[in-house]
Amino acid sequence: MNAQSPRIRLFVMDVDGTLTDGTITYTADGLELKSFHARDGAGIKFLPLANITPAIVSGRASAATQRRAAELGIETVVEGVADKLPVVDRLRRERNLTWEEVAFIGDDLTDIPPMRSAGFSAAPADAAPEVRSIATYVCSLGGGRGAVREAIENLLRAQGAWDQVLDGLGVGA
Ligand SMILES: [Mg+2]
């Protein structure tokens, strides 16, 4: 990405291994537990301040994901997706965006096709090696440990939107 790149307008996230550390815990009564990171959540809330829409495209359907998305105001959540590229392409076309205006962060092999197409892609530090090797940006933090926040901050700085976000939060210089 450089200064000439179109600005990202849609930021699509994988869930397991990206917004979480990949652990899926089942309780005795059948509930599914996932752990999310507070700073990832805060970072996702920065996106609208820079006119970027957050979205989730996940391979698995989970009540925990739906609850986290609702808490963070993520309106676009597509779950149970085996083939992510056509789904992200649909979200892109619905918004009249070019692929250059789409960002995708993911950790595993099914994330590679949308990452290759996107104008900006990121991988957590502990993503699969094949994913790290094609990502625009490889995070120093792992999935569920602040990688999404790191990627968002990197993206916003690269687009010159970080100061705008700080001003929006009332913590600008
Ligand atoms: Mg994943």
Side-chain angles (χ1 to χ4, degrees):
M1 167 169 294
N2 58 47
Q4 282 75 47
S5 299
R7 292 172 67 96
I8 297 297
R9 287 283 165 254
L10 179 66
F11 189 90
V12 186
M13 296 165 281
D14 168 56
V15 176
D16 295 293
T18 299
L19 279 167
T20 77
D21 68 2
T23 304
I24 299 162
T25 306
Y26 297 102
T27 65
D29 50 1
L31 287 176
E32 185 176 305
L33 306 181
K34 297 182 197 292
S35 297
F36 297 92
H37 200 290
R39 276 200 299 276
D40 285 341
I44 290 165
K45 287 185 170 179
F46 296 162
L47 293 170
L49 299 174
N51 299 313
I52 300 171
T53 302
I56 283 174
V57 174
S58 174
R60 302 183 72 262
S62 162
T65 297
Q66 290 157 21
R67 175 166 173 181
R68 184 61 170 156
E71 187 173 30
L72 297 176
I74 304 171
E75 294 176 1
T76 302
V77 180
V78 190
E79 297 183 288
V81 178
D83 187 357
K84 294 185 178 182
L85 182 62
V87 170
V88 178
D89 192 41
R90 174 172 60 78
L91 299 179
R92 175 187 74 76
R93 285 184 282 108
E94 284 171 355
R95 291 163 178 78
N96 293 315
L97 300 176
T98 68
W99 271 109
E100 283 294 301
E101 296 171 296
V102 177
F104 192 102
I105 180 168
D107 73 304
D108 211 346
L109 304 180
T110 55
D111 301 310
I112 288 177
M115 287 175 68
R116 281 193 196 281
S117 296
F120 175 88
S121 63
D126 53 351
E130 295 86 350
V131 177
R132 293 201 310 266
S133 73
I134 61 108
T136 312
Y137 179 76
V138 179
C139 300
S140 62
L141 297 170
R145 294 289 181 270
V148 170
R149 163 63 167 271
E150 181 185 343
I152 288 171
E153 191 167 328
N154 177 272
L155 172 66
L156 294 176
R157 286 182 189 281
Q159 297 202 339
W162 185 241
D163 288 345
Q164 180 185 335
V165 167
L166 294 181
D167 286 345
L169 295 169
V171 294

